[in-house]
Amino acid sequence: MSDEGFTDRVLDGVNGLDGTARRKAVALGAEVPALRDGLQVPSSRMVLMPALGALWAAGLGMEKPGWSRLARQGLLAIALGTVAGKGIKRVVCRARPNEGRDPSRWGKADGKHASFPSGHAINVSALTTAVGLNRGLSPETMVTLGFAAAVGWSSLATERHWASDYAAGMATGVLAGLAAKALDGWAEDTLS
């Protein structure tokens, strides 16, 4: 099999899974519209970044260095993930499900508003990674994991993203979270 044939088969498989996941999420979302529609705003950078800024300030004011460290890493992870995600969107240009319901529309969207990868997935997975790396297997980490999963379902149910968009966003956010931890550790060591 040629490389092109293999790539086509992989994309066909991804597109098939994306179509099935969209149909199921949309059907379930019709049953619980308040939950379906209520998760996009709290998972946006416009909410998460000020909340992390407040946590950073609280950590400094209350002499809780763990809070400040988590907040710094979360902010940096979201920022790094956002830059990476916007770059990927401009290259891939995948159309959103609400723009034709055809998962095979790769390269068919405005790069600024493209679907792949999901920015909300980047945000919540960057946050979850920062929490997990700082708090370990804790209730806080479990809550952020649950939140990330719920936001993923909401993104599919509201037809903002395909499942593969969300998976790619999660991977991007995790990598950004790991990079943020490393950069923050380097900065702490260098500046102290």
Side-chain angles (χ1 to χ4, degrees), residues 86-109:
K86 288 189 179 293
I88 295 167
K89 282 179 184 285
R90 291 190 183 274
V91 171
V92 175
C93 297
R94 188 182 197 190
R96 293 179 181 271
N98 59 10
E99 296 172 347
R101 294 184 173 81
D102 179 4
S104 65
R105 294 185 65 214
W106 297 86
K108 307 279 188 201

Side-chain angles (χ1 to χ4, degrees), residues 10-91:
V10 168
L11 282 176
D12 287 346
V14 168
N15 294 338
L17 288 171
D18 280 340
T20 300
R22 183 199 65 80
R23 284 189 298 280
K24 291 183 181 210
V26 168
L28 182 59
E31 295 176 23
V32 283
L35 180 59
R36 173 196 68 203
D37 299 336
L39 291 169
Q40 295 302 303
V41 171
S43 61
S44 73
R45 286 187 313 278
M46 302 317 135
V47 170
L48 293 176
M49 292 187 90
L52 287 167
L55 179 62
W56 190 355
L60 291 172
M62 298 172 68
E63 296 183 14
K64 301 271 189 180
W67 292 8
S68 296
R69 185 179 308 107
L70 188 155
R72 278 193 321 268
Q73 290 174 12
L75 284 164
L76 183 56
I78 291 172
L80 292 171
T82 297
V83 170
K86 288 189 179 293
I88 295 167
K89 282 179 184 285
R90 291 190 183 274
V91 171

Side-chain angles (χ1 to χ4, degrees), residues 78-146:
I78 291 172
L80 292 171
T82 297
V83 170
K86 288 189 179 293
I88 295 167
K89 282 179 184 285
R90 291 190 183 274
V91 171
V92 175
C93 297
R94 188 182 197 190
R96 293 179 181 271
N98 59 10
E99 296 172 347
R101 294 184 173 81
D102 179 4
S104 65
R105 294 185 65 214
W106 297 86
K108 307 279 188 201
D110 168 8
K112 185 175 179 185
H113 301 288
S115 183
F116 185 96
S118 164
H120 285 81
I122 291 170
N123 297 340
V124 296
S125 66
L127 174 64
T128 299
T129 302
V131 172
L133 290 172
N134 283 279
R135 296 286 189 249
L137 193 56
S138 66
E140 296 92 348
T141 303
M142 295 299 107
V143 167
T144 59
L145 280 169

Side-chain angles (χ1 to χ4, degrees), residues 29 80 129-130 142 151 170 188 190:
L80 292 171
T129 302
M142 295 299 107
V151 170
M170 293 292 284
E188 270 190 347
T190 303

